[in-house]
Amino acid sequence: MAQEAVNPEEQVVLGEEIDHVRLITLNRPRQLNVISSKVVSLLADFLEKWEKDDNTKLILIKGAGRAFSAGGDLRMFYDGRTSEDSCLEVVYRMYWLCHHIHTYKKTQVALVHGISMGGGASLMVPMKFSVVTEKTVFSTPEASIGFHTDCGFSYMLSRLPGHLGEFLALTGARLNGKELVAAGMATHFVPLEKLPELEKRLISLNSGDENAVKSVIEEFSVDVQLDEGSVLNKLSVIDECFCKDTVVDIIKSFELESSKEGNGWTGAVLKGLKRSSPTGLKITLRSIREGRKQTLAECMKKEFRLTMNILRTTISADVYEGIRALTIDKDNAPKWDPPTFDEVDDSKVDLVFQPFKDNLELQVSENEKHRWNGKYEHSAYAALNATEMAKTNLFSEL
């Protein structure tokens, strides 16, 4: 597995047991609580243990410091680029965990302040209750760096009204707390100053009864009113443009809208789209569109294939170039390959979506009795070393 810059003595996830309540704290505040392999393993261990524990009724999750979670540890992926499948295990474990968070059997509440992006937001949006504040910032910016919208977001974004999902996935546009509630990706807006008291009240409630939990949260929550300039007030333009069949047509349509009076907000969006990886955008658009017709399990399996093919540079090394430009050299001047949409061969895009052999797919069970089966350590991957993996034909016969 790729090496990550984590102090072995550092408690990256805290798990407290308080009578019938379990409190998870993402505890890498200096790194904005990014998700490392150790974080994933600890979260999975806690959640499985507590779902099976009859004494556990309510799960709370929060982030230490000024962020909830900024998502995956990009440095870990970049550092593993020269080693065969160095990040396969953490990817497998994370997506397997995402499926279980969506289908969790106990009441969960996410208390979200600060940054909640990408994989970090996958610990917020699926929860039964997700509480946001005026400091919450959400986005899914993966496509812009040559990656794709993952951790279940091809399922979640594709179910938003109209074509808002395509817009968020392709542009990485940020939503604030009010917008998250209005869009249905958070359940309650609570002023930040009240969040500590809400946490105390939920702990003292000592119950997982959904109506009781909701009632407590509503004592602290306030109704949201969107700011006049909110992107959610531009949905007619977004739907008109992001319903188009291809990324090129979406950009052309958006350019046309940008020339109309009152659409000055589109300028920054267009600039971002044109600077993003053409390969990443093409893969992401297709994934979101397919997600509308897929189950959660199908989306998770598809995202696992996409991630592994992208990290293996099956059709492009853009993801590593995007990470380099954003977080390593920080020059914000990526050189995409291929550099234009016309040069991104659709048949090559087909390749990254191609199913793996059954035993090499992400193993998530939709059978309630066996829902905790399919762990990495019991998968075909765990039995193969890197040399054997390199020689293995991953794809199913078409």
Side-chain angles (χ1 to χ4, degrees):
M1 187 187 292
Q3 295 300 305
E4 52 189 300
V6 176
N7 181 340
E9 303 299 318
E10 183 182 17
Q11 292 183 284
V12 296
V13 179
L14 305 177
E16 299 176 65
E17 301 188 358
I18 311 165
D19 204 356
H20 295 303
V21 178
R22 306 293 177 258
L23 175 61
I24 293 173
T25 304
L26 305 172
N27 194 40
R28 300 182 74 190
R30 282 192 233 170
Q31 293 82 25
L32 301 180
N33 299 320
V34 296
I35 299 171
S36 65
S37 59
K38 190 174 179 182
V39 170
V40 173
S41 293
L42 288 169
L43 284 173
D45 288 347
F46 282 136
L47 290 175
E48 179 178 4
K49 173 188 172 184
W50 292 335
E51 184 177 285
K52 294 176 177 178
D53 174 20
D54 291 340
N55 198 44
T56 298
K57 306 299 182 186
L58 176 66
I59 312 285
L60 306 180
I61 182 168
K62 65 178 183 176
R66 59 192 177 91
F68 181 69
S69 174
D73 189 339
L74 297 182
R75 168 73 74 165
M76 177 183 66
F77 289 112
Y78 188 80
D79 290 347
R81 70 194 183 283
T82 57
S83 302
E84 186 76 31
D85 281 345
S86 63
C87 293
L88 189 152
E89 181 177 342
V90 66
V91 170
Y92 187 103
R93 289 184 185 278
M94 180 62 186
Y95 292 1
W96 185 89
L97 174 63
C98 285
H99 184 269
H100 286 76
I101 287 172
H102 271 269
T103 57
Y104 204 65
K105 304 305 178 189
K106 302 286 178 74
T107 305
Q108 302 176 91
V109 180
L111 302 172
V112 184
H113 72 283
I115 295 171
S116 181
M117 293 185 175
S122 73
L123 306 177
M124 170 190 81
V125 179
M127 301 300 185
K128 183 66 181 179
F129 300 103
S130 46
V131 178
V132 293
T133 77
E134 68 273 19
K135 295 293 186 180
T136 305
V137 180
F138 163 90
S139 78
T140 49
E142 296 86 356
S144 65
I145 62 165
F147 198 51
H148 69 107
T149 305
D150 69 331
C151 291
F153 275 103
S154 71
Y155 179 82
M156 291 181 276
L157 293 184
S158 66
R159 281 153 177 79
L160 294 179
H163 296 276
L164 179 60
E166 285 99 325
F167 172 77
L168 295 174
L170 294 176
T171 67
R174 296 185 173 195
L175 297 183
N176 60 34
K178 293 178 183 178
E179 291 167 327
L180 284 167
V181 173
M185 288 195 288
T187 60
H188 296 84
F189 182 93
V190 171
L192 180 59
E193 62 181 14
K194 294 184 178 181
L195 207 59
E197 184 60 28
L198 170 59
E199 180 185 328
K200 290 177 184 176
R201 281 288 304 281
L202 288 170
I203 291 172
S204 65
L205 177 66
N206 202 31
S207 168
D209 180 83
E210 289 183 8
N211 289 329
V213 171
K214 182 179 180 182
S215 179
V216 168
I217 297 172
E218 287 179 344
E219 288 180 34
F220 293 83
S221 67
V222 297
D223 293 334
V224 299
Q225 242 183 338
L226 293 175
D227 299 330
E228 187 178 343
S230 171
V231 72
L232 297 186
N233 290 326
K234 322 289 185 185
L235 291 182
S236 60
V237 173
I238 288 171
D239 286 346
E240 171 64 28
C241 298
F242 283 79
C243 70
K244 302 297 185 283
D245 290 339
T246 68
V247 179
V248 170
D249 288 340
I250 286 171
I251 291 175
K252 286 180 180 176
S253 179
F254 218 54
E255 285 176 329
L256 184 61
E257 289 293 333
S258 70
S259 65
K260 297 178 182 177
E261 187 176 349
N263 282 345
W265 64 277
T266 61
V269 177
L270 267 174
K271 185 177 179 181
L273 279 170
K274 291 178 178 179
R275 291 184 60 188
S276 297
S277 159
T279 301
L281 291 178
K282 273 198 169 185
I283 291 172
T284 295
L285 179 61
R286 176 167 166 180
S287 180
I288 296 292
R289 295 267 165 90
E290 287 189 1
R292 283 203 175 91
K293 300 176 182 178
Q294 292 173 325
T295 65
L296 172 64
E298 288 169 340
C299 283
M300 297 312 311
K301 291 178 180 182
K302 171 196 65 186
E303 291 176 10
F304 176 69
R305 291 177 216 129
L306 293 179
T307 293
M308 292 317 304
N309 280 319
I310 289 170
L311 294 178
R312 289 166 178 160
T313 66
T314 300
I315 63 172
S316 171
D318 274 4
V319 66
Y320 298 118
E321 175 61 8
I323 295 172
R324 178 206 64 77
L326 179 68
T327 67
I328 308 301
D329 297 336
K330 299 181 181 178
D331 57 23
N332 290 313
K335 294 179 174 58
W336 305 124
D337 183 23
T340 67
F341 291 104
D342 289 342
E343 294 172 272
V344 180
D345 192 318
D346 286 342
S347 65
K348 288 187 176 181
V349 173
D350 289 341
L351 185 60
V352 299
F353 282 85
Q354 187 177 332
F356 291 164
K357 291 179 177 178
D358 284 348
N359 67 322
L360 297 175
E361 294 278 17
L362 180 71
Q363 302 296 312
V364 288
S365 176
E366 295 183 270
N367 182 315
E368 292 301 314
K369 276 187 165 184
H370 307 294
R371 64 180 257 95
W372 291 98
N373 291 0
K375 295 175 184 175
Y376 174 81
E377 53 266 34
H378 301 138
S379 72
Y381 292 110
L384 296 170
N385 62 35
T387 302
E388 291 170 325
M389 277 301 305
K391 296 176 181 176
T392 300
N393 175 19
L394 301 176
F395 299 110
S396 65
E397 299 297 328
L398 296 180

